Each structure stands twice: as C-alpha cells, then as structure tokens.
C-alpha cells in the first residue's frame, strides 16, 4: 500500500502541467534553431520522474545521509541504527565508497548490485589512461584491487546482483565487509548494496548512506544524484574540522533546493576533532566544548545569513547545526580498557586536563539529540510527504517560468542587438569587449596572484608550525612512580621470669615506600600518533585557510562588473557568475595521510611499559627524536610537493579565466554576425518568437 494515493484531482493537475510544457514545446518548435527546447523537455522529464516515484506502490520516506568521503556517515548510521556496532564499514577512499540502502523486510538479507558489463568495460578503459584525475586513478585502483583478489570480475558482473541471508548483526558485519569493506574480497566489483532488516522501526522508511558527489566513479555519482532528486529528508554531515567547506556548499546550493528536498538536518560530525584543535586555547574540556560549538555555530550563521546561498527555506535549519561525535558516544558506553586504538587516541587527545568523564564523552557524542530528530522525522513522515506532494506543481512551475523567462530575455536581447547594429557595429563591439577582456585578465590575475601569495605565506607559516609540533612531540616527560617494600625481622618472645617462653620468637613486618623516575614507552607511541594527526590536520587546514573561496568569488565578480558596461551589452551578469563558480569549483584541496607504523614498531620492538634505567630512558628519547625527525622531513617533503601541485592548479585557472570569457563572447558575436547576413528576416524571426512567448500561459 502506498503512503499517498494519487487522486483524480492530482492526475488532472499533473496532466495539465505536462500538457502546458508540451504546448510550449510545440509552439516554439518552428524556431528550435533559436531556442533550446531541451531545457523545457528536461523540466517535463524531471517532473514526471518525481511524481511517478512519489506515488508508486512501494514508495517509502527517503532519508538520505549525505556528506563527503570521510565525513563519518557510516559511523553515524552505525550508532543511530545498529547500537554502535561497526556494521557499515567506513569508506577510507572514494574507490570503496558505495551507495548503501537500509530498509525493512521480514527476512534479513543483503542484496548486492554489481557493475554492469558496460560500466566495467568503461572502468577498464579508464584504467589504461595515464592521468592523475580522480576518475582514472580510481579506475586503476579498482582494477588493481580486483587483480590482487584473484577473482574473475565477469563471473559476478554477468550475474548482475547477488543475495545473502544473515541471522545477526555480527553475521551481517562479516558478510558486508566482503562486499563494501576497504579490503573486501568483492568490493572492487560492487556498485550498490541494500540491507534488508527485520526491524519494524524501518517500515515505510528507506535510509541511504550515499558516497557523495565527490565520488571518483561516474556511475556511482550518477546514482547519488538520482537518489538526491527523490530524497524527502537529508541529514547533511560536514566534518567540524573542515566545517562547511567549498564542496559542502556546492552540494547544498546547487542540488538540494532544486531537487525538492524540503527538510535538511545540518550535522557537524567528528566533533571531537574540532574540540581537540581548540583544547589548548582553553582551561578545561567543558570550556573547549562550549567555545568550539559557538565558533562553529557562528560560521553556520554567517554563511547561511547571506542572500546568495540560494537555499531558500532549508537555510533556516542549516543556521542551527547540531554537533556530534559517534565515536565519543560509543566510548561513553564502555570501559576504557575496551577502547580500540583509534578510541584510545581520541581519549588521549581530549583528556589534556584529566577531566574527561563518561558524562563529558556522552555530551560530546550528543547522539540523543540527533536520535530525537530522527524519531521526529519518522513520526512526521505523513506531514513531510504531504508537504512534498503539495510542492510538486509550485516547484516545477517556478522552474518552468525561469526557463521560459531566460529564453524570452535571450530572444529579446538578440533582437534588440540586431536592430541597433550592423556587421561593422557588431565587430566594433566585439573588439571593444575583447579590449575590455584585457582589463579583466589583468585584474583577475591580480586576484589569483593574491591567492598564490596567500598560499606561499601559509606554506612558510605551516612549515614553522610543523617544526614547533615536532619539537613538542619529540619530548618525553619524566614521570614519578612509587614502590612499597616490605621487610621482616624476628623478635624474641623470651621472658626471664617465664621459663615457658624461653627460646620462642615471632616475625614482625614493616613496610616503606620509595619513589623512582621513569618514562612510559606508550607515551612515545602516542607522541608519534599525535604528531602525525596534528601535522595532517595542520597541513589540510593551511590550504583551506589560504584559499578564501567565497571572498575570491566576490572579487572576481567585482572585476567583471568593473570592466564590463553590462547595461550596453548582451551579457547577463548571471553568465559571469556561473563561469566564476565553475572555475572555483575546480579547486580540489589536498588530503594528507601518513603511515607511522614503521616508526612505532621501531620503538615497540625495543621498549615497553615503564623505562626506569637512565641509559634506557636516554635511548628511548633518542629513538623518539629520530622518529619524529624522519616524519617531519617526510611531511615537509609531501607538503612542499602538494603546494607546488596546488599552485599549478591556481596558475592554470589564472591563465584560463579570461580566455574562457573571450571564447564565450566571440562565439556569441560570430553567431550574431552570421545572422546579419539576413538581418530583416532574423529580426522577424525573433519578433515571432517573442509573440509566441506572450501566448504561452
């Protein structure tokens, strides 16, 4: 039974709307060389797809968990739906990210969808391309992964899908890891999985962990886009250590409102990481929690209070994010001796002042708040679906109106230009605009030059910070321990006046405490981990801080406005805004990672526990200093290389920005010049088109 039945009135309204689009297409079709009719057809296709999906018999409330790779989506869902058990493995890289759907069924089962033969052949072709672009790198990694597992891909691809039954969460974890785990036997072949669970709370609900739109595999990105279009509610996860970066904002502003998502829950994930970044500026863990949360809220309020976010109604909920740490929540529910290595690292990072309690961990985790929101979403599903149903026509009407207005304005602008110009005049305007491009090129180069200078300044500052961090982490503080010693001596019980006691005695015991100085080998291992974490975090942050995406966009748009007289030429500023956004969206920030197991093994193979001997303490300190120094040199090398590669990207943008503008201008002018060969007839065609627009209701 579907949640909402399409009434006769609904069918009539939908038919009227699609007929309106069809009528507009038929009306304008004689002038298809002058107007882009595919834009109208896309509005119709999108409307039909959304309404057909909404009213199908098995339609559920679609809840999407969206965020970039490493935003903590899987951990979030494991905590929310599976009591903290690691049922959904984390995707460490884009190649292991897959769209995972969780739905209700009386029978527990896992359904796997493999790549199609056509998709696999495309991956094989991409793997042969010697390019460092994500799509080709990921294809090579998938082929390598498949080869290492020694499996015949076409054996599974020819089957299309597979089905596995399970009885418990533990059994599901074991089987699922084979298909979507980072080192899973069949992970390379899997595009999507659906987990069906006998959990009545999931009835009429479909929860989806998406790989995100920054997935390196095109077919999975397309599947994510399709799902977003059908989404009703979105839990949007953004890592608090890089809260609401440019990739997050691109997804929010370019996808969600246009796709009909009416409710967004903004979740700042991995809150413990942001607290750790701030803890040394505070006097207690409680102060660090409060201060960090307020700073992140200020950022959200600042971003979503701007008029150009294009988020509409969902901006209100985005201004009030909630912050969670699924890991801290899970830590709060077990003893510290049960922590895994990652949890022990978090415990060490947050317990700087010795005031990290179970209650504080639960407060940082904050899962109860997000669980309450999730439960309200479920309880209010009828209202959410009703609102979405009411919005189909108004949303699509606005979309249609925008398309028609753009077509009409373009026709009107071209007609006016043809009336007021001849070939010689157009050539003059083209040359004039081209001359203005030189001004744009010069000014734009200054904007990108400022960005390059900022990157260089940030590089110098970050290298200094890395050295400071290395000095701190190379230190191994002495600790004080104590030991209780027990001694005994025999005491005579003989009394001269009592012959029966002669020759008898008893033992008396005494104890004393001595103190000693030692260093702990585990502290050395922790220092290595901390150095790696802080160095990676610091390097990544330096790139984000040095490139102000929003500020740069505003500067480039100002450059265009200052150099173009937009009142006297054909170009809409929106075109330049789009071009600017497309240019800046090409920026991909580096992600740092470092394997420190070799350095840790060099220490753990020689030392463990408390080291008391003065010579051994010196030896351990020397080993630690050498390990940190090696890591520092490695980090400095990787960082310097990343900066050089990043500079090349910015240099390319600087060089291409003005030339792309010139290309657009020249193409449009050349088209108009060709129309001037039959000027009067072309003007009549545009006048006829404008008359037709007045008849489209």
């Amino acid at each position: 039974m579907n949640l909402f039945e399409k009434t006769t009135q609904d069918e009539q309204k939908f038919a009227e709307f699609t007929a309106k689009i069809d009528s507009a297409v038929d009306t304008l079709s004689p002038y298809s060389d002058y107007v882009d009719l595919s834009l109208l057809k896309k509005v119709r296709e999108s409307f039909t797809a959304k309404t057909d999906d909404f009213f199908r018999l098995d339609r559920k409330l679609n809840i999407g968990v969206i965020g970039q790779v490493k935003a903590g989506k899987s951990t979030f869902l494991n905590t929310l739906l599976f009591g903290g058990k690691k049922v959904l493995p984390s995707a460490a890289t884009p190649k292991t990210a897959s769209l995972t759907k969780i739905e209700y069924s009386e029978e527990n089962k896992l359904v796997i969808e493999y790549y199609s033969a056509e998709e696999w052949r495309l991956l094989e072709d991409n793997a042969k391309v010697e390019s460092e672009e994500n799509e080709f790198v990921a294809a090579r990694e998938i082929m390598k992964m498949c080869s290492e597992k020694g499996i015949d891909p076409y054996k599974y691809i020819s089957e299309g899908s597979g089905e596995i039954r399970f009885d418990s969460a533990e059994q599901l974890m074991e089987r699922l890891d084979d298909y979507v785990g980072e080192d899973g036997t069949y992970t390379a072949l899997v595009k999507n999985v659906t987990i069906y669970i006998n959990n009545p709370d999931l009835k009429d609900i479909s929860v989806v962990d998406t790989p995100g739109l920054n997935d390196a595999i095109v077919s999975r990105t397309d599947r994510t886009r399709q799902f977003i279009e059908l989404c009703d509610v979105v839990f949007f996860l953004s890592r608090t250590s890089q809260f609401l970066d440019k990739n997050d904002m691109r997804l929010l502003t370019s996808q969600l409102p246009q796709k009909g998502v009416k409710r967004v829950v903004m979740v700042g994930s991995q809150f413990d990481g942001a607290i750790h970044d701030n803890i040394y500026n505070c006097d207690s863990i409680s102060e660090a929690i409060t201060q960090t949360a307020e700073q992140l809220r200020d950022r959200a309020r600042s971003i979503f209070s701007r008029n150009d976010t294009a988020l509409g109604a969902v901006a209100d909920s985005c201004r009030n994010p909630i912050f969670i740490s699924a890991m801290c929540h899970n830590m709060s529910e077990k003893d510290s001796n049960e922590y895994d290595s990652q949890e022990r690292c978090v415990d060490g990072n947050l317990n700087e002042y010795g005031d990290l309690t179970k209650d504080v961990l639960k407060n940082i985790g904050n899962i109860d708040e997000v669980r309450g929101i999730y439960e309200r979403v479920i309880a209010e599903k009828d209202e959410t679906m009703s609102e979405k149903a009411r919005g189909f026509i108004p949303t699509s009407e606005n979309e249609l109106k925008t398309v028609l207005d753009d077509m009409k304005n373009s026709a009107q602008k071209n007609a006016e230009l043809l009336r007021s110009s001849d070939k010689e005049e157009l050539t003059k305007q083209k040359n004039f605009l081209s001359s203005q491009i030189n001004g744009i090129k010069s000014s734009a180069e200054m904007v990108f030059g400022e960005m390059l200078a900022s990157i260089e300044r940030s590089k110098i500052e970050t290298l200094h910070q890395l050295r400071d961090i290395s000095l701190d982490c190379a230190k191994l503080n002495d600790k004080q321990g104590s030991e209780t010693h027990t001694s005994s001596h025999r005491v005579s019980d003989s009394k001269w006046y009592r012959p029966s006691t002669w020759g008898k005695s008893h033992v008396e015991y005494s104890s004393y405490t001595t103190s000693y100085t030692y260093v702990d080998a585990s502290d050395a291992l922790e220092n290595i981990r901390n150095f790696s974490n802080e160095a990676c975090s610091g390097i990544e942050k330096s790139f984000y801080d040095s490139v102000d995406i929003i500020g740069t966009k505003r500067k480039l748009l100002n450059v265009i406005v200052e150099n173009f007289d937009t009142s006297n030429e054909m170009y809409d500023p929106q075109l330049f805004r789009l071009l600017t956004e497309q240019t800046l969206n090409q920026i991909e920030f580096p992600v740092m990672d470092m394997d420190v197991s070799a350095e840790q093994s060099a220490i753990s193979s020689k030392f463990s526990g408390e080291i008391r001997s003065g010579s051994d303490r010196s030896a351990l300190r020397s080993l630690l200093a050498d390990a940190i120094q090696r890591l520092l040199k490695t980090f400095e090398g990787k960082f310097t290389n990343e900066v050089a590669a990043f500079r090349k990207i910015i240099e390319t943008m600087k060089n291409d920005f003005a030339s792309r503008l010139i290309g657009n201008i020249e193409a449009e002018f050349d088209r108009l010049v060709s129309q001037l060969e039959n000027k009067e007839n072309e003007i009549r065609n545009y006048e006829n088109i404008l008359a037709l627009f007045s008849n489209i209701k």
Side-chain angles (χ1 to χ4, degrees), residues 64-170:
V65 179
I66 295 176
Q68 299 179 58
V69 172
K70 294 189 178 182
K73 302 186 297 296
S74 298
T75 307
F76 169 77
L77 280 172
N78 283 334
T79 303
L80 194 65
L81 300 179
F82 300 107
K85 294 179 180 177
K86 296 183 178 180
V87 172
L88 301 175
S90 299
T93 65
K95 73 176 184 292
T96 61
S98 63
L99 190 145
T100 304
K101 190 179 293 185
I102 306 162
E103 295 185 354
Y104 167 79
S105 173
E106 291 185 1
E107 185 177 37
N108 293 330
K109 59 183 178 180
L110 175 65
V111 176
I112 302 104
E113 180 184 352
Y114 299 108
Y115 287 108
S116 68
E118 182 179 350
E119 289 168 338
W120 189 258
R121 280 193 292 272
L122 177 61
L123 283 170
E124 288 179 322
D125 290 341
N126 286 346
K128 298 172 185 175
V129 178
E130 292 298 326
S131 169
E132 293 307 309
E133 292 189 17
N134 285 344
E135 183 177 352
F136 303 107
V137 172
R140 291 198 294 271
E141 289 178 340
I142 284 176
M143 291 302 147
K144 180 182 177 184
M145 195 175 182
C146 180
S147 175
E148 288 174 347
K149 295 301 177 183
I151 54 179
D152 176 13
Y154 286 98
K155 174 184 176 182
Y156 300 91
I157 288 169
S158 62
E159 295 174 0
S161 63
E163 187 174 302
I164 300 171
R165 285 165 174 74
F166 59 89
D167 297 321
S168 63
E170 288 73 20

Side-chain angles (χ1 to χ4, degrees), residues 4 50 63 132 138 144 285 288 293 375 403 485 562 630:
F4 288 86
K50 285 186 286 190
I63 301 175
E132 293 307 309
K144 180 182 177 184
I285 185 67
E375 290 171 354
V403 170
H485 305 272
E562 289 168 2
R630 284 194 302 273

Side-chain angles (χ1 to χ4, degrees), residues 13 27 102 150 236 248 453 586 603:
K13 287 181 179 179
T27 300
I102 306 162
F236 192 96
D248 289 338
Q586 297 172 24
I603 290 177

Side-chain angles (χ1 to χ4, degrees), residues 380-497:
E380 296 167 1
K381 66 176 181 292
D382 288 354
E383 180 183 341
T384 300
M385 301 287 272
S386 295
E387 182 182 357
K388 184 158 188 170
R390 291 192 299 270
F392 282 136
I393 295 292
T395 300
S396 298
E397 283 276 12
N398 288 335
E399 189 177 356
L400 176 61
K401 183 178 184 302
T402 299
V403 170
L404 289 171
D405 286 347
D406 287 347
M407 287 180 173
K408 181 178 178 181
N409 291 337
S410 178
Q412 194 164 17
K413 195 180 298 181
N414 288 336
E416 291 172 357
L417 195 61
L418 284 169
R419 287 193 195 97
S420 61
S421 304
D422 54 27
K423 189 172 183 179
E424 184 178 353
E425 178 63 24
L426 278 177
T427 302
K428 286 181 181 179
Q429 289 194 42
K430 176 182 174 181
N431 292 336
F432 177 65
L433 286 175
S434 296
S435 69
Q436 289 182 311
I437 284 289
N438 292 328
I440 285 183
K441 183 178 181 181
S442 175
S443 300
E445 285 180 351
M446 288 180 61
V447 173
F448 285 110
E450 290 174 7
M451 189 188 296
L452 290 168
S454 176
I455 292 169
E456 199 59 35
R457 286 194 301 271
S458 181
K459 172 187 170 182
I460 295 170
E461 292 172 2
T462 303
L463 288 173
H464 283 307
Q465 290 171 4
L466 286 177
R467 289 168 192 138
D468 290 342
I469 295 170
S470 72
L471 291 175
D472 288 339
C473 291
K475 296 175 183 175
L476 201 57
N477 295 327
D478 283 335
K479 294 184 175 181
Q480 295 298 316
S482 61
E483 285 182 326
T484 300
H485 305 272
T486 302
S487 62
S488 63
H489 59 280
R490 186 164 291 278
V491 178
S492 174
D493 292 329
S494 298
K495 306 292 182 183
W496 66 269
Y497 53 84

Side-chain angles (χ1 to χ4, degrees), residues 678-696:
N678 196 2
K679 179 177 179 178
E680 296 304 321
N681 186 57
E682 294 293 340
I683 291 174
R684 275 196 301 275
N685 284 336
Y686 280 118
E687 288 174 343
N688 291 338
I689 292 171
L690 291 170
L692 292 176
F693 276 112
S694 64
N695 295 328
I696 297 174

Side-chain angles (χ1 to χ4, degrees), residues 429-441 443-444 556-573 575-577 579-580 657-666 669:
Q429 289 194 42
K430 176 182 174 181
N431 292 336
F432 177 65
L433 286 175
S434 296
S435 69
Q436 289 182 311
I437 284 289
N438 292 328
I440 285 183
K441 183 178 181 181
S443 300
L556 288 174
L557 290 174
N558 287 339
V559 163
I560 292 169
V561 170
E562 289 168 2
N563 284 275
F564 273 118
D565 181 6
T566 55
S567 64
N568 293 326
E569 50 90 14
M570 74 189 77
Y571 280 95
D572 190 326
L575 173 67
F576 299 122
R577 180 182 295 273
L579 180 61
T580 303
F657 186 74
S659 61
R660 290 182 65 195
L661 277 178
I662 291 174
N664 276 281
I665 290 171
E666 289 183 343
F669 270 100

Side-chain angles (χ1 to χ4, degrees), residues 287-335:
E287 183 184 343
I289 294 170
T290 302
Q291 188 179 103
T292 305
E294 191 55 36
Q295 289 171 353
L296 294 170
R297 287 193 187 96
D298 285 345
R299 174 167 173 76
R301 285 193 287 262
S302 172
I303 289 174
F304 297 116
S305 63
R306 300 181 186 130
N307 294 327
D308 62 348
T309 59
L311 282 171
V314 301
D316 290 336
S317 58
C318 293
R319 291 188 195 104
N320 297 291
I322 60 174
F323 305 111
I324 67 162
S325 168
M327 182 173 294
C328 283
H329 173 82
N330 296 337
M331 290 168 63
S332 74
E333 298 193 332
K334 56 186 175 182
D335 292 333

